[in-house]
């Protein structure tokens, strides 16, 4: 009975989404206030019904309702409660429901926090989001109903994929989806502004906090996924340039460009058409990511749907969104006037450089991701593009990006003199280069060129950020700097931390695959790893071979690592649980391979310096984003100032880009 | 030419040149890092390059897995039903590597016909069959059927 109620709630949500997507839009076109006023209640109603549907599906999982096909395919009575709850989004149907729920949540939030916006604008934004929601709800009801019954009911479920039975994976999809779906707000604002012909500073100011929050969630989602891959897949890698990873990285890159371009549009009234195009691209890439990941085109842990009709449906949805939004863009963009002119050396130029580099990076990753698919679809041949391609293309692009990252915030809007900055910056660049070369060389005794470059760029960002803080706080003190500025600063420092982490862990990791019998030792870097042997153990829904490895440094014990090889009983699927001793400057990492003759095991032993910094930096970036979005200015903007004039804001204090 | 226009021209030129260089580098990198896929039949037929990295996929032939007692070296054969390729790999095999399982190996062909794999990939699901392998099996099967028909005639 309850699952049918959930199904009904989905249908009602679709009905409301249809109303929400059409009536306010028509109202805005006719100037009819009553029709436009439908937007908010419709959005809230849709959210309530989707929350109800989601709650009922969760209830079906908690109650082990194996007469529901989706529950029977993704859960088991032996599964611990926390994973029964996270299993709700562990499969295709449920993750779609989560997507739709989060979209409704963002829409409801827009309705709630936009009291000061003109009703016409709000109506259009909510209507555009309603139309997107219609697409996803139709998709769910027509091809992937999570409440479908199974008759006769299964005696027990087929269990959740063991890879997903993990704390990191409980949070990874909701965070990632918050980011993906969050870009729909920036998209809806852009389309609404195009439709209303209101591409002004106010539009950019409204879009900014939403975009930044979505970007922060996406950052967290990607970082969680990378961290999970590191400890769960047992290969010790944190990024594989796998197509599904690229699918989340593409909207992140374009979203980063969008955040910076929005800053120019707000402060200086320039780059407007470009910003709109980026907003369309960021959301389209989010949809493309969903298509790639969910359609079964790519094969990975994420590809649940091998039903071709589903892939075709998402592709049609993608085509409709991209096609219609580009059509609106083509019709309206020529009327957009970008006002602010700027000199060759100015903050605008540097932000333009940021945008060019980020979009080129995104385009080259897109090429490497889609090229094999295109060749396969054309029947030319089966190929794959390996990580070396992505590294060769991506890493060199980051060098100019990080250099401009350091200079950008120090530069003035509109016009600046190179000579003003050349003195201090030249010194800092030299200092960073010396420290970047000396630091790793002293610590590890050898210096690959890229290790020096990466570390030097980390120092460069740190120093320029500190210089910027000193210059800006000279007049107003540290307390006078606003949250938006601190957010930018923290996020930029996060970039530096991540870059140093990536550089040091990729150049100075020591990795060895070994055959070890109990009692034997191996040296990894300065550490001695001693294999103590393997014991058998039982978990709630798996059996396990648990190995212990003692690690010592110069005879002093450092850590005892417990690595496991589990076999999940329901699916008979083996899983590696790595044993990790985490530290700020190094991780010690052990994964069990396979049992060999006479009690020996194949073992994978790693020493990974500074690998934690990769995720620490991502956390800083996400925190910086949230801090910037919490700036008082965005709330003041809702207290009825006249916002149609672009503000030529040249005071350094307010100029947090 | 007004200063604004001149500035714009310089910016556009810089961007065009920069993007052009990036695109060029990307294409070079792409052409160097493409891994082509070959089925065991194609490898046996001599279609695959020697000394250049590529991928080969098929089913791990039951009973063919041999481990070296003192190291991590392992040998097994991959088959698509018609032909087989001997694979040699040193290292840890993925969790889902099993006899009879569809896998993909990446590496180079040695001059003696062995395939030295530096990577062995088995995907995350036990029922999963890499699409390349499925295709290879199907093609080999169809060719076998066609040959039988011919010999029956």
């Amino acid at each position: 009975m309850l699952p049918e109620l959930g199904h009904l709630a989905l249908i009602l949500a679709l009905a409301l989404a249809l109303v929400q997507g059409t009536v306010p839009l028509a109202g805005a076109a006719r100037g009819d206030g009553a029709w436009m006023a439908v937007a908010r209640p419709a959005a809230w109603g849709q959210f309530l019904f989707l929350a109800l549907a989601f709650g009922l599906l969760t209830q079906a999982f908690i109650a082990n309702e194996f007469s529901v096909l989706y529950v029977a395919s993704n859960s088991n009575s032996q599964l611990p409660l926390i994973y029964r709850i996270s299993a709700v989004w562990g499969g295709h149907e449920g993750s779609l429901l989560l997507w739709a729920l989060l979209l409704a949540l963002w829409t409801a939030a827009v309705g709630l926090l936009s009291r000061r916006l003109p009703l016409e604008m709000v109506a259009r934004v909510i209507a555009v989001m309603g139309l997107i929601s219609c697409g996803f709800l139709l998709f769910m009801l027509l091809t992937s109903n999570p409440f479908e019954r199974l008759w006769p009911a299964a005696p027990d479920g087929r269990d959740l994929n063991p890879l997903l039975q993990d704390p990191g994976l409980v949070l990874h999809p909701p965070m990632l989806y918050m980011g993906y779906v969050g870009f729909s707000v920036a998209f809806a604002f852009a389309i609404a502004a195009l439709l209303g012909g209101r591409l002004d500073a106010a539009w950019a100011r409204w879009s900014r906090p939403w975009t930044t929050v979505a970007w922060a969630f996406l950052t967290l989602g990607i970082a969680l996924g990378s961290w999970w891959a590191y400890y769960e897949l047992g290969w010790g890698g944190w990024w594989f340039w796998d197509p599904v990873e690229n699918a989340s990285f593409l909207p992140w890159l374009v979203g980063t460009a969008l955040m910076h371009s929005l800053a120019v549009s707000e402060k200086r009234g320039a780059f407007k058409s470009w910003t709109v195009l980026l907003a369309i691209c960021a959301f389209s890439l989010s949809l493309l990511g969903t298509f790639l990941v969910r359609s079964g085109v790519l094969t990975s842990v994420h590809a649940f749907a091998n039903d071709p009709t589903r892939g075709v449906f998402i592709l049609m949805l993608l085509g409709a969104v991209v096609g219609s939004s580009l059509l609106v863009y083509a019709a309206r963009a020529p009327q957009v006037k970008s006002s602010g002119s700027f000199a060759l050396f100015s903050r605008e130029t540097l932000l333009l450089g940021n945008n060019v580099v980020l979009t080129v990076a995104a385009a080259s990753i897109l090429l490497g991701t889609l090229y094999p698919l295109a060749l396969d679809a054309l029947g030319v041949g089966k190929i794959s593009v390996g990580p070396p391609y992505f590294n060769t293309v991506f890493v060199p692009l980051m060098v100019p990006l990080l250099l401009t990252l350091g200079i950008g915030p120090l530069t003035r809007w509109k016009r600046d003199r190179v000579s003003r900055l050349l003195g201090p910056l030249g010194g800092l660049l030299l200092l960073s280069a010396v420290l970047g070369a000396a630091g790793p060389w002293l610590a590890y005794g050898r210096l690959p060129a890229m290790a020096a470059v990466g570390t030097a760029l980390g120092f460069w960002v740190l120093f320029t950020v500190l210089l910027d803080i000193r210059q800006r706080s000279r007049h107003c003190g540290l307390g006078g700097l606003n949250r938006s500025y601190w957010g930018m600063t923290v996020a930029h420092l996060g970039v530096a931390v991540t870059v140093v982490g990536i550089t040091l862990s990729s150049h100075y990791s020591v990795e060895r695959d070994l055959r070890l019998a109990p009692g034997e030792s191996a040296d990894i870097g300065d550490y001695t790893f001693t294999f103590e042997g393997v014991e058998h153990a039982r978990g709630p829904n798996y059996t396990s071979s648990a190995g212990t490895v003692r690690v010592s440094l110069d005879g002093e014990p450092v850590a005892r690592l417990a690595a496991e090889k589990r076999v999940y009983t329901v699916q008979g699927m083996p899983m590696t649980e790595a044993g990790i001793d985490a530290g700020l400057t190094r991780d010690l990492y052990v994964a069990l391979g396979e049992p060999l003759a006479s009690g020996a095991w194949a073992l994978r032993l790693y020493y990974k310096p500074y690998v934690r910094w990769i995720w620490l930096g991502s956390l800083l970036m996400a925190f910086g984003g949230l801090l910037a979005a919490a700036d008082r200015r965005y709330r003041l903007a809702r207290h009825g100032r006249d916002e149609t004039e672009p503000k030529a804001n040249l005071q350094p204090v307010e100029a947090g880009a | 030419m007004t200063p604004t226009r001149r500035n714009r021209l310089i910016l556009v030129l810089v961007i065009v040149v920069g993007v052009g260089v990036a695109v060029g580098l990307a294409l070079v990198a792409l052409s160097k890092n493409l891994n082509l896929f070959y089925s065991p039949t194609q490898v046996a037929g001599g279609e695959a390059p020697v000394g250049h990295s590529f991928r080969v996929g098929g089913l791990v032939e039951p009973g063919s897995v041999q481990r070296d007692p003192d190291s991590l070296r392992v040998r097994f054969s991959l088959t698509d039903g018609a032909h087989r390729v001997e694979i040699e790999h040193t290292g840890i095999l993925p969790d889902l590597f099993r006899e009879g399982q569809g896998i993909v190996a990446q590496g180079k062909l040695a001059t003696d016909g062995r395939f030295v794999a530096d990577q062995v990939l088995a995907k995350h699901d036990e029922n999963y069959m890499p699409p390349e392998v499925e295709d290879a099996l199907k093609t080999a099967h169809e060719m076998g059927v066609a040959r039988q028909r011919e010999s029956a005639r």
Side-chain angles (χ1 to χ4, degrees):
Chain A
M1 181 59 205
L2 287 178
E4 277 66 36
L5 210 58
H7 192 178
L8 188 65
L10 277 186
I11 296 172
L12 288 173
L14 173 65
L16 276 173
L18 279 170
V19 173
Q20 178 196 330
T22 48
V23 175
L25 214 53
R30 300 180 359 166
D32 186 328
W35 283 33
M36 287 192 266
V38 170
R40 282 197 179 99
W44 294 331
Q46 197 207 336
F47 173 66
L48 279 182
F49 280 116
L50 281 175
L52 179 66
F54 193 82
L56 287 169
L57 188 61
T58 313
Q59 148 68 22
F61 269 92
I62 294 175
N64 288 322
E65 187 76 64
F66 295 126
S67 65
V68 175
L69 177 63
Y70 181 66
V71 179
S73 323
N74 289 287
S75 184
N76 183 272
S77 51
Q78 300 295 307
L79 196 63
L81 180 65
I82 175 77
Y83 296 131
R84 289 219 295 276
I85 294 172
S86 73
V88 173
W89 54 84
H92 169 78
E93 289 86 349
S95 57
L96 264 181
L97 182 55
L98 179 68
W99 172 289
L101 176 72
L102 291 177
L103 180 59
L105 179 70
W106 279 99
T107 319
V110 170
L112 214 58
L113 299 172
S114 60
R115 300 261 179 223
R116 286 280 157 182
L117 261 62
L119 182 59
E120 201 187 310
M121 185 79 177
V122 179
R124 287 202 172 103
V125 170
I126 292 184
V128 170
M129 296 182 75
L131 287 175
I132 299 167
S133 184
C134 280
F136 272 90
L137 289 174
L138 267 177
F139 178 35
M140 197 161 26
L141 285 168
L142 294 180
T143 70
S144 351
N145 176 12
F147 295 104
E148 199 176 316
R149 287 283 194 173
L150 180 65
W151 192 260
D156 206 338
R158 284 218 307 260
D159 207 2
L160 180 64
N161 185 333
L163 276 169
L164 306 182
Q165 297 183 26
D166 181 88
L169 256 272
V170 172
L171 280 176
H172 164 69
M175 289 293 150
L176 202 63
Y177 280 15
M178 279 297 274
Y180 274 171
V181 180
F183 282 138
S184 73
V185 183
F187 171 80
F189 266 104
I191 297 294
L194 276 179
L195 286 176
R198 272 197 68 138
L199 277 174
D200 48 22
W203 151 74
R205 169 168 296 204
W206 294 327
S207 304
R208 271 187 88 181
W210 296 100
T211 311
T212 313
V213 171
W215 175 89
F217 276 115
L218 189 58
T219 310
L220 282 179
I222 295 175
L224 272 171
S226 151
W227 176 56
W228 167 83
Y230 170 74
Y231 69 75
E232 187 69 30
L233 294 182
W235 302 326
W238 50 272
W239 193 262
F240 299 96
W241 293 111
D242 187 89
V244 289
E245 290 172 330
N246 296 347
S248 66
F249 195 43
L250 286 169
W252 187 88
L253 285 172
V254 175
T256 312
L258 173 63
M259 269 195 313
H260 291 86
S261 164
L262 270 171
V264 184
S265 295
E266 187 207 346
K267 300 282 186 188
R268 301 284 311 144
F271 296 3
K272 283 179 193 163
S273 320
W274 171 244
T275 305
V276 169
L277 197 59
L278 278 181
I280 294 175
C281 284
F283 184 59
S284 304
L285 285 171
S286 299
L287 284 183
L288 180 74
T290 319
F291 164 69
L292 289 179
V293 169
R294 290 284 177 247
S295 62
V297 171
L298 300 175
T299 40
S300 78
V301 62
H302 300 80
F304 308 119
N306 285 325
D307 178 354
T309 54
R310 290 177 177 173
V312 170
F313 199 106
I314 308 185
L315 201 58
M316 275 161 46
L317 196 65
L318 182 67
V321 170
V322 176
S324 57
S325 53
L326 286 182
L327 207 63
V328 174
Y329 180 75
R332 293 301 175 98
Q335 297 158 25
V336 177
K337 290 268 182 298
S338 280
S339 52
S341 68
F342 52 91
L344 208 52
F345 187 66
S346 60
R347 190 184 290 185
E348 284 94 326
T349 310
L350 289 165
L351 284 170
L352 180 65
N354 150 305
N355 270 241
V356 171
V357 173
L358 285 170
T359 31
V360 168
S364 48
I365 293 175
L366 188 67
L367 175 73
T369 311
L370 292 187
Y371 191 56
L373 296 179
L375 283 194
D376 191 18
L378 295 173
V380 182
K382 289 189 185 298
I383 59 155
S384 63
V385 177
Y389 163 74
F390 295 102
N391 289 331
T392 326
V393 172
F394 187 74
V395 175
L397 280 173
M398 290 303 103
V399 177
L401 186 70
L402 290 166
L403 283 175
T404 41
L405 188 160
I407 311 170
L410 288 159
T411 319
R412 294 189 181 129
W413 290 110
K414 199 163 160 96
R415 179 181 301 278
D416 205 337
R417 292 189 321 275
V418 182
S419 55
R420 188 178 72 89
L421 293 170
L422 204 58
L425 285 184
L428 286 184
L429 189 61
L430 197 68
L431 183 63
S432 321
V434 170
L435 286 177
W441 188 67
L442 289 177
Y444 301 105
R446 62 194 171 84
L447 190 67
M450 280 318 284
V453 172
T455 319
L457 285 170
F459 277 115
W460 163 253
V461 172
L462 172 70
F463 292 148
T464 47
V465 162
L466 289 179
L467 177 68
D468 190 40
I469 294 176
R470 209 191 68 180
Q471 287 196 351
R472 293 197 199 208
S473 62
R474 196 172 287 154
H475 300 297
C476 56
L478 287 177
L481 299 171
N482 58 23
R483 279 191 207 155
S484 167
Y485 174 73
W486 282 119
M488 173 190 81
T489 305
V490 170
H492 283 174
L493 284 177
V495 175
V497 170
T498 299
V499 166
V500 170
I502 291 173
T503 306
L504 295 180
S505 73
S506 13
H507 287 284
Y508 296 106
S509 284
V510 185
E511 316 189 342
R512 286 177 76 183
D513 289 355
L514 286 171
R515 173 190 191 279
L516 285 183
E520 282 184 341
S521 306
D523 287 339
I524 308 292
D526 300 333
Y527 294 88
T528 307
F529 288 62
T530 311
F531 181 47
E532 293 197 327
V534 166
E535 284 174 359
H536 288 280
R538 276 195 75 85
N541 51 350
Y542 58 84
T543 59
S544 141
S545 310
T548 315
V549 171
R550 246 182 319 111
V551 187
S552 58
L553 181 65
D554 302 328
E556 293 289 313
V558 178
R560 264 175 84 90
L561 305 177
E564 280 183 66
K565 191 91 177 175
R566 291 178 182 170
V567 177
Y568 282 79
T569 36
V570 177
Q571 300 191 349
M573 187 161 149
M575 277 288 310
T576 306
E577 295 280 322
I580 302 173
D581 181 53
L584 198 58
T585 58
R586 59 106 189 90
D587 270 21
L588 303 171
Y589 185 111
V590 173
L592 282 183
E594 56 239 271
L596 304 172
S598 61
W601 277 72
L603 287 175
R604 189 165 273 173
L605 308 175
Y606 289 163
Y607 162 73
K608 297 225 156 231
Y610 292 90
V611 68
R612 297 276 140 185
W613 285 39
I614 298 171
W615 307 300
L616 190 68
S618 315
L619 283 181
L620 285 176
M621 283 187 240
F623 176 69
L626 294 176
L627 197 63
D631 192 271
R632 197 175 290 125
R633 175 162 72 96
Y634 298 123
R635 272 173 287 149
L636 284 179
R638 278 186 257 117
H639 288 292
R641 280 195 297 176
D642 177 33
E643 293 162 22
T644 44
E645 284 297 303
K647 289 190 184 54
N649 230 329
L650 295 172
Q651 294 125 358
V653 185
E654 262 249 77
Chain B
M1 208 190 281
T2 63
T4 328
R5 289 225 168 150
R6 198 201 48 175
N7 281 352
R8 248 182 225 169
L9 187 67
I10 294 176
L11 269 186
V12 167
L13 279 180
V14 168
I15 291 173
V16 166
V17 170
V19 171
V21 169
V23 168
L25 286 177
L27 290 180
V28 170
L30 190 61
S31 64
K32 276 193 189 155
N33 290 297
L34 288 182
N35 291 309
L36 291 159
F37 177 89
Y38 292 94
S39 69
T41 303
Q42 286 172 311
V43 175
E47 285 179 48
V50 176
H52 191 278
S53 179
F54 66 93
R55 288 181 170 204
V56 60
L59 301 180
V60 180
E61 204 164 31
S64 73
V65 181
Q66 285 180 324
R67 283 189 181 287
D68 193 281
D70 304 317
S71 71
L72 289 179
R73 196 164 56 194
V74 57
R75 287 208 182 95
F76 56 91
S77 28
L78 276 190
T79 172
D80 58 1
H83 293 86
R84 69 167 72 91
V85 183
E86 296 294 322
I87 312 276
E88 190 179 303
H89 175 66
T90 304
I92 293 175
L93 294 167
D95 282 345
L96 288 172
F97 180 91
R98 257 179 252 163
E99 296 187 343
Q101 173 93 12
I103 64 127
V104 173
Q106 177 164 336
K108 290 178 183 169
L109 206 55
T111 39
D112 60 355
R114 270 177 313 126
F115 184 84
V116 182
D118 38 47
Q119 229 185 345
V120 175
L121 307 162
K123 286 291 181 171
H124 300 304
D125 183 340
E126 57 174 337
N127 300 320
Y128 169 74
M129 178 74 75
E132 298 99 330
V133 176
E134 201 174 325
D135 252 25
L137 292 178
K138 214 187 288 167
T139 322
H141 178 72
E142 279 160 11
M143 280 166 62
V145 171
R147 223 175 293 129
Q148 274 177 358
R149 279 205 198 116
E150 265 168 37
S151 53
R153 247 178 240 157

